[in-house]
């Protein structure tokens, strides 16, 4: 079943040597007293929990799956006990608001925790993971009464949360949703409808489940402007905060899926279930976006976690498996064959995994710190800049990292050869688990449209320019260093190409909006590489200066060079595809398909 | 569970309008009397069998899987009965030698049958499919006695065959194999060892199973030069050709796999099982290559079959599923939303599937006809040319088409959104089934090395030049037609790029053989696109001339334009990756991984 070793050294490299998280946190009053030692102690402890408690459940959970009996859902053996330990250790409350029972640590730390939990098991991690979205939406939009009722229980992990958006006839297009909310005399609402694909929608791990449900009030406008958000608890809390009456919100069945078998994906039936309005009537979608953005970043972290675990195991296998001789001469003549690590194409696959994992780690840890700034910096303009960067790059975190994760988990299978296809070895599960990350919380096609249409073209590239300015500054600061040219030149080059490509598409879109959808997916890959080029150049700079200290830096530098030599060049194809536009998509008439 | 409609119109377009199969067959004495009507009648009947008998078993077979009990393997419900019908209808003998009970029809026809069977179910189709390899190896290398004993039963389908190569410690590297063959007094051999990953290794569909087994004679040289091939029947045939004594060759267990659940992947234990030598001692690997080349082409046909079935269902779904409005204005204002087919990125995914399916069909049907020429043409130089082209392009059939199939079956899932991840809809099974096609019969990485190292560089590009000459001739013949320039120009361009890239890598390989492995996978993608560009240009030429006749040709032309606008450009990235060479793979020392 393989193994997992938390990549603490690289996490510390990124948090301390690249980002200097400690210094940024000192500018945020809420976190001013958090030092590097605290950060290291937390991530070490989190790594132990992920590798020792969660990881051993991942494969058995996949094989067993969840059980449904008459509306009661049982999670695989060991899941409940691991969750109990998780709650007892206080992990759910790590980054929650101290006003409601949280520990008040930064998102940056929670993010590192989630990378490791996701490497250990994305299906298990989704049970606590969904609670964060529910917590954030209630925290941002709930009344004080709702906050006092729900936030401490969600923070402690005693209760878990869900997001109930999708219905059988609508996923992406939430404007079509039909679930109804009828006002009751006591100020609550009776909610009726069917929701599908509800992750962690019903289970045996927590004593209560708090559903955040989108529904329509009577007479609400059609489309997305008539959707409201409600909190619908499985058990209605008593005034003392204990478990009360069972609400008629129930799990009709579980889906059988390609992957994440051990997470319960539920059909949720609401039969006049009592709910309470969160935020303003008909503004539910805005409130829900708080959850969705957090969820999208969370999905990116799933992609990173899966890439890392697949890399670690493929690398271990490649060092042990003896097969064929190196074409350039035997490397282990004393053995009956060379370890497959000697073959250039095996190295290519492993380095692809490694470069995408480390690139994603640098990028997402930086984003997490930007979120901390967005939420907590005393200066409004700093908060706004951070908010813009986070908004711009959320679709890249979600789509670019998960597309890479799917590629990389497949490399993991390929390195194992035939054994990769066999369940016992554990590598094919990572592929099946990774596949959903490209779909849920907005498909990667929707992310690409969000990036190009909403985040970039709709403000004439203003947010993109903010990131472009960061890149430009780095190029200017480091372009004078001859040793940095191998990294700075391709970074500057891809930044210029992004700028030109964006303008081209923007011009074409003025005459035909379909040009946006025709270019968006390859465009997103190009922007993703600009972002990764930037972080790889930053990492390379540090590694160049410290390469004589230890092999960690030599490996970092080698991986950076691999990234620029072998991965960034795929943009040459994507730019051509994006530029090819809509004509060849439109020529084919619907009836001809 | 979706649907399958045999793509008879496109198959006929390729066989008659593009390839003019009838005229080529007239030059082959064995097939001179086969006309277009016969071809059409056979493929129509085959299409009925595939869609009506085999397709309905695919999803239930995946869910049920195979059962092992004390060495006895039971296939999923309905599999045995469908195979009985298959045998009764005479399909196994279609392209077998009339001297041993075959119908003597060309490989071209058998190939078309297999495309459709593979769309219907690759896991079911592997039971009869593996028999062809065993049949071919015995036909080419067996004694007359072995042929008379086994070929008629394999041709009729009463018995099925397997290939027993892999052992736990050796897959790609067959030189390491340890299974032993001890000579017996009666001229047979007692064979002892363990084989793994034996597809269709044990089952309940046929009364006997004929294993072709690689093993070592006493004192045989080590490595690949000491391997011999043996035929090892499950039941030893009596002199009358009936089922005789049970041979100690048995199934120790079944593997649990990512996909092809309903094909039995067996651990096969040989405990002094009796076997008979096929071909010369220590020359087993050459004999086995007959099977392996056929099997590699067969795997390419699995890729095509899966691409087609995924396309058909994704297209049907995209026409029915209503979600969001077209960015360029509502296309179905009378409905609550537009069908998702209107969205450019959905069209991109569907057209990718379609262009890769139709391109693969044109290419593989052409290859099948080349094989017919290689085997049956009276002129030796024609046979040699055909053999060279088939040898050159076998790794492209195997690797390029299956890599495309994996991409395309994933597009099929993505078009369905969340529903694509749910087993019930059937789309995720195609991904899981497609994944093995990139691994077995030589991983796609091994195919790429075979293409660049063995097929191209080792004869200084002589075979590549033969295909290049075909392309050059087409460019010359059609470059004068202004309407053809949009296809001929990029075809000529990619051919020139392949030539240059090949020379570059060849030069670098003279100093370091690892340059071959460092470039081989992206190089293979580039050559694959040259091949597909050629066939798309040929199809476009016909469609240009007939576009006013019916929409079939308009759709063909639109798909050709899509191919050149959106798929061929990925070569820009691959060329850069291939050219980047080995340096960034070698810099990373083994210990740093």
């Amino acid at each position: 079943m393989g193994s997992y070793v938390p990549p603490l050294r690289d996490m510390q490299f990124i948090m301390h040597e690249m980002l200097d998280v400690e210094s940024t946190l000192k500018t945020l009053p809420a976190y001013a007293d958090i030092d590097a030692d605290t950060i290291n102690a937390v991530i070490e402890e989190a790594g132990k929990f992920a590798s020792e408690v969660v990881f051993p459940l991942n494969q058995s959970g996949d094989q067993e799956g969840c059980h449904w009996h008459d509306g009661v859902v049982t999670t695989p053996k060991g899941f409940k006990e691991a969750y109990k330990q998780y709650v007892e250790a206080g992990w759910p409350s790590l980054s929650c608001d101290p006003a409601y029972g949280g520990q008040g640590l930064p998102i940056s730390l929670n993010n590192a925790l989630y990378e490791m939990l996701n490497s250990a098991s994305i299906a298990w991690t989704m049970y606590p993971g969904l609670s964060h979205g529910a917590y954030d939406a209630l925290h941002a939009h709930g009344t004080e009464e709702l906050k006092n009722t729900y936030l401490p229980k969600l923070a402690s992990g005693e209760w878990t949360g869900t997001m109930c958006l999708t219905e059988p006839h609508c996923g992406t297009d939430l404007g079509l949703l039909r679930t109804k909310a009828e006002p009751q005399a006591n100020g609550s609402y009776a909610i009726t409808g069917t929701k599908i694909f509800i992750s962690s929608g019903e289970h045996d791990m927590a004593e209560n489940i708090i559903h955040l449900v989108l529904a329509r009030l009577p007479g609400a406008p059609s489309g997305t402007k008539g959707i409201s958000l409600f909190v619908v608890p499985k058990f209605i809390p008593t005034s003392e905060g204990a478990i009360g009456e069972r609400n008629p919100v129930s799990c009709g069945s579980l889906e059988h899926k390609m992957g994440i078998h051990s997470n319960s994906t539920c059909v949720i039936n609401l039969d006049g279930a009592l709910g309470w309005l969160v935020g303003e009537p008909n503004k539910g979608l805005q409130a829900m976006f708080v959850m969705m953005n957090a969820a999208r970043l969370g999905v990116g972290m799933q992609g990173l976690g899966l890439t890392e675990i697949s890399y670690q195991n493929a690398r271990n296998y490649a060092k042990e498996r003896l097969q064929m001789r190196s074409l350039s001469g035997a490397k282990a003549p004393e053995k009956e064959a060379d370890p497959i690590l000697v073959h250039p194409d095996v190295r290519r696959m492993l380095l692809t995994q490694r470069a995408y994992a480390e690139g994603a780690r640098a990028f997402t840890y930086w984003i997490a710190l930007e979120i901390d700034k967005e939420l907590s910096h005393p200066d409004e303009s700093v908060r706004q800049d951070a908010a813009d960067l986070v908004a711009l790059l959320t679709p890249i975190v979600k789509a670019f990292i998960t597309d890479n994760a799917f590629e990389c988990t497949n490399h993991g299978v390929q390195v194992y050869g035939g054994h990769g296809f066999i369940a016992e070895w554990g590598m094919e599960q990572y592929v099946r688990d990774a596949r959903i990350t490209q779909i849920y919380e907005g498909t990667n096609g929707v992310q690409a449209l969000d990036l190009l249409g909403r985040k970039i073209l709709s403000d004439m590239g203003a947010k993109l320019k903010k990131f472009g300015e960061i890149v430009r500054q780095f190029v200017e600061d480091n372009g004078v260093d001859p040793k940095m040219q191998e990294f700075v030149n391709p970074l500057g080059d891809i930044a210029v190409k992004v700028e030109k490509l964006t303008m081209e598409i923007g011009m074409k879109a003025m005459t035909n909006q379909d040009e946006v959808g025709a270019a968006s997916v390859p465009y997103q890959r190009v922007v993703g590489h600009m972002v990764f080029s930037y972080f790889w150049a930053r990492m390379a700079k540090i590694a160049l200066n410290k390469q004589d200290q230890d092999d960690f830096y030599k490996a970092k530098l080698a991986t950076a060079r691999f990234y620029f030599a072998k991965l960034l060049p795929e943009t040459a194809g994507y730019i051509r595809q994006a530029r090819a536009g809509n004509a060849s998509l439109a020529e084919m008439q619907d009836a001809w398909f």
Side-chain angles (χ1 to χ4, degrees), chain A:
Chain A
M1 64 170 239
S3 62
Y4 173 60
V5 178
L8 298 177
R9 179 72 182 87
D10 198 51
M11 293 165 78
Q12 289 167 354
F13 167 79
I14 287 166
M15 295 182 90
H16 305 313
E17 297 174 69
M18 189 188 91
L19 294 174
D20 191 7
V21 166
E22 192 178 353
S23 294
T24 299
L25 292 181
K26 290 216 183 309
T27 68
L28 311 178
Y31 308 127
D33 57 351
I34 295 169
D35 60 14
D37 287 346
T38 307
I39 291 171
N40 291 347
V42 171
I43 65 175
E44 269 171 48
E45 208 53 44
K48 272 188 204 158
F49 187 85
S51 59
E52 292 170 13
V53 180
V54 179
F55 180 70
L57 302 172
N58 189 48
Q59 193 172 14
S60 58
D62 179 69
Q63 282 159 7
E64 184 186 338
C66 289
H67 311 278
W68 182 96
H69 181 72
D70 205 13
V72 175
V73 173
T74 316
T75 52
K77 192 163 173 251
F79 269 49
K80 194 175 165 172
E81 292 72 18
Y83 186 73
K84 188 158 177 279
Q85 279 184 259
Y86 186 74
V87 169
E88 284 169 359
W91 292 115
S93 67
L94 198 69
S95 64
C96 292
D97 184 351
Y100 304 97
Q103 295 182 55
L105 287 165
I107 300 292
S108 294
L109 264 179
N110 205 54
N111 195 57
L113 163 67
Y114 266 82
E115 179 200 321
M116 295 185 282
L117 292 175
N118 282 320
S119 279
S121 173
I122 79 163
W124 184 89
T125 302
M126 287 170 72
Y127 291 104
L130 269 292
S131 298
H132 282 282
Y135 177 95
D136 289 343
L138 281 166
H139 194 272
H141 297 283
T143 60
E144 202 52 42
E145 192 184 344
L146 289 179
K147 288 191 199 184
N148 285 324
T149 304
Y150 293 104
L151 293 185
K153 296 287 192 178
L154 287 168
S156 71
E158 288 166 275
W159 299 355
T160 64
T162 79
M163 294 167 59
C164 296
L165 289 73
T166 305
E167 299 180 6
H169 65 290
C170 71
T172 301
D173 196 353
L174 289 172
L176 302 178
L177 75 81
R178 295 176 191 151
T179 296
K180 284 178 195 161
E182 292 283 342
Q184 305 295 295
N186 68 353
S188 69
Y189 296 81
I191 300 181
T192 302
T194 299
K195 297 287 182 179
I196 63 168
F197 300 164
I198 307 309
S199 299
S200 316
E202 179 58 48
H203 57 77
D204 56 355
M205 287 161 74
E207 61 173 22
N208 203 2
I209 299 172
I210 310 307
H211 304 283
L212 275 281
V213 179
L214 291 182
R216 286 187 189 284
L217 292 168
S222 65
T224 53
K225 289 175 180 157
I227 297 173
S228 304
L229 181 64
F230 301 88
V231 57
V232 180
K234 176 177 169 184
F235 293 99
I236 297 168
T238 65
S239 49
E240 293 79 35
I243 291 301
E245 201 183 333
R246 182 72 161 86
N247 209 0
V249 49
S250 61
C251 174
S253 63
L254 294 178
E255 304 286 357
H256 295 94
K257 310 180 298 288
M258 183 181 188
I260 52 167
H261 290 167
S262 53
N263 191 268
S264 57
T265 305
C266 302
V267 173
I268 292 288
N269 298 317
L270 299 133
D271 302 309
L274 290 190
W276 285 264
L277 189 66
V278 179
E280 292 176 51
N282 300 331
K283 302 225 166 138
L285 223 51
Q286 286 102 302
M288 204 58 154
F289 264 116
V290 173
M291 294 179 73
M292 275 165 56
N293 280 327
R296 286 171 178 182
L297 295 167
V299 175
M301 295 312 290
Q302 295 181 329
L304 166 55
L306 288 165
T307 304
E308 173 67 28
I309 185 78
S310 181
Y311 167 68
Q312 287 193 15
N313 286 283
R315 173 205 56 200
N316 296 347
Y317 186 77
K319 288 185 174 187
E320 281 165 21
R321 174 77 171 175
L322 305 176
Q323 207 80 174
M324 308 299 282
R325 289 294 179 193
S326 165
L327 286 179
S328 56
K331 297 290 183 290
E334 74 288 1
K335 294 179 179 159
E336 63 176 358
D338 287 337
I340 61 172
L341 182 61
V342 306
H343 304 306
D345 194 58
V346 171
R347 300 173 91 81
R348 177 188 65 86
M349 293 190 279
L350 293 172
L351 282 164
T352 300
Q353 296 180 300
R354 186 178 176 117
Y356 277 144
E358 294 181 3
R361 186 171 297 122
F363 173 34
T364 56
Y365 284 38
W366 174 86
I367 275 272
L369 196 58
E370 290 299 310
I371 295 174
D372 282 323
K373 283 157 71 178
E374 174 186 356
L375 297 176
S376 308
H377 201 281
D379 181 339
E380 211 253 310
S381 75
V382 174
R383 289 202 305 274
Q384 187 58 50
D385 282 349
D388 283 349
L389 289 169
V390 172
L392 172 74
L393 296 173
T394 293
I396 297 290
V397 173
K398 199 281 183 182
F400 190 71
I401 294 177
T402 62
D403 284 345
N404 295 345
F406 190 65
E407 179 187 333
C408 288
T409 52
N410 273 295
H411 286 317
V413 165
Q414 200 73 14
V415 168
Y416 274 69
H419 299 280
F421 196 68
I422 307 297
E424 184 188 354
W425 292 84
M427 300 305 283
E428 58 87 39
Q429 183 188 345
Y430 299 131
V431 175
R432 291 186 289 101
D433 288 353
R435 189 64 186 85
I436 191 60
T437 65
Q438 301 173 289
I439 298 172
Y440 59 17
E441 309 305 344
T443 67
N444 286 0
V446 167
Q447 301 299 321
L449 266 184
D450 180 51
L451 175 74
L452 179 54
R454 197 183 333 213
K455 301 292 172 55
I456 294 181
L457 296 180
S458 78
D459 72 358
M460 307 288 281
K463 283 192 276 292
L464 180 63
K465 284 201 188 82
K466 286 195 180 176
F467 188 77
E469 180 55 28
I470 293 173
V471 171
R472 198 197 55 72
Q473 193 64 49
F474 184 87
V475 169
E476 196 175 298
D477 291 349
N478 296 283
V480 290
D481 178 356
K483 293 201 306 299
M484 277 298 286
Q485 282 185 6
E486 59 175 315
F487 308 112
V488 161
N489 290 349
L491 170 62
D493 179 61
I494 192 71
V496 168
K497 283 175 173 158
V498 164
E499 201 182 325
K500 281 191 185 163
L501 185 61
T502 307
M503 287 206 299
E504 268 181 40
I505 302 169
M507 296 290 284
K508 288 201 275 187
M510 285 184 203
T511 35
N512 183 358
Q513 275 289 308
D514 279 337
E515 292 289 350
V516 178
S520 52
V521 166
Y523 176 85
Q524 168 188 256
R525 293 290 308 165
V526 179
V527 175
H529 274 296
M530 175 180 70
V531 173
F532 271 44
S533 293
Y534 168 68
F535 286 103
W536 269 113
R538 280 184 70 172
M539 291 192 279
K541 182 183 174 177
I542 301 163
L544 269 173
N545 289 330
K546 298 188 181 178
Q547 58 183 309
D548 298 328
Q549 287 181 22
D550 77 50
D551 287 348
F552 174 86
Y553 301 104
K554 292 200 188 82
K556 185 64 85 177
L557 206 50
T559 309
R561 289 187 173 126
F562 170 84
Y563 172 80
F564 284 98
K566 294 284 192 181
L567 299 181
L568 176 60
E570 73 169 22
T571 50
Y574 286 121
I575 289 170
R576 288 180 60 181
Q577 290 168 331
R579 191 168 275 163
N582 191 51
S584 71
L585 303 172
E587 179 177 341
M588 185 86 171
Q589 292 182 19
D590 291 2
W592 303 347
F593 273 91

